[in-house]
Amino acid sequence: MKQLIPYLTTDHCKEAVDYYHAIFGGEIKNFQMSDGIPGFEEYPNKVLHAEIVVNEQITLYLNDIFQTPVAEGNSVILGLEFDSEAEITKVYKALAEEGSIEMELQEAFWGAVHAKVIDKFDFSWELNWEK
């Protein structure tokens, strides 16, 4: 295996792309809308696929929900490992701002700084910085 790429499916994909791009930075690539695509006529103004390439190791894929009902958030936990305390603190605050905190940013028993946050789209994030 080479890499795990989380694929986030939501009813608010355009908003989610802007939200995560503002938090993590990087570049939005391959943003494809359903409009004008054969087979998707009954789903106007939906995002078929979007990518946020944060860096060489981290890419997020996102799309809108189409036919299959999806229980947002609780079936996926996204784990992020950070390079610095400043970086984990910045992302923690941004995700928690309109979300909820499951575990405050704190010293963990394994020698890391760790937190658990549910963002405003109900996705669960485990944040970790090994000191």
Side-chain angles (χ1 to χ4, degrees):
M1 288 181 216
K2 184 178 176 184
Q3 181 182 22
L4 171 66
I5 300 174
Y7 212 120
L8 309 179
T9 300
T10 177
D11 255 336
H12 313 285
C13 189
K14 281 193 251 181
E15 184 182 349
V17 168
D18 291 340
Y19 174 72
Y20 294 122
H21 183 246
I23 291 173
F24 299 118
E27 183 180 353
I28 299 170
K29 292 187 172 186
N30 300 326
F31 194 92
Q32 303 165 0
M33 296 297 295
S34 60
D35 301 328
I37 304 293
F40 291 93
E41 293 84 3
E42 64 184 282
Y43 305 105
N45 204 29
K46 293 278 196 172
V47 178
L48 293 175
H49 180 80
E51 297 174 17
I52 303 172
V53 179
V54 178
N55 58 38
E56 288 181 18
Q57 290 79 33
I58 301 172
T59 300
L60 299 174
Y61 288 179
L62 299 96
N63 71 340
D64 271 310
I65 295 171
F66 287 88
Q67 296 172 325
T68 308
V70 174
E72 291 198 39
N74 60 5
S75 64
V76 175
I77 296 173
L78 302 162
L80 284 177
E81 197 65 47
F82 292 90
D83 291 320
S84 70
E85 189 168 15
E87 186 180 41
I88 192 173
T89 301
K90 176 183 174 241
V91 170
Y92 169 77
K93 287 179 180 178
L95 289 171
E97 186 175 330
E98 295 182 67
S100 62
I101 297 168
E102 284 191 320
M103 176 191 284
E104 295 282 340
L105 189 63
Q106 60 189 276
E107 297 276 333
F109 67 87
W110 58 90
V113 174
H114 190 80
K116 294 181 182 180
V117 180
I118 299 174
D119 70 26
K120 72 177 188 176
F121 294 105
D122 290 327
F123 289 107
S124 296
W125 296 84
E126 289 205 23
L127 312 175
N128 199 69
W129 172 56
E130 296 285 336
K131 295 171 128 190

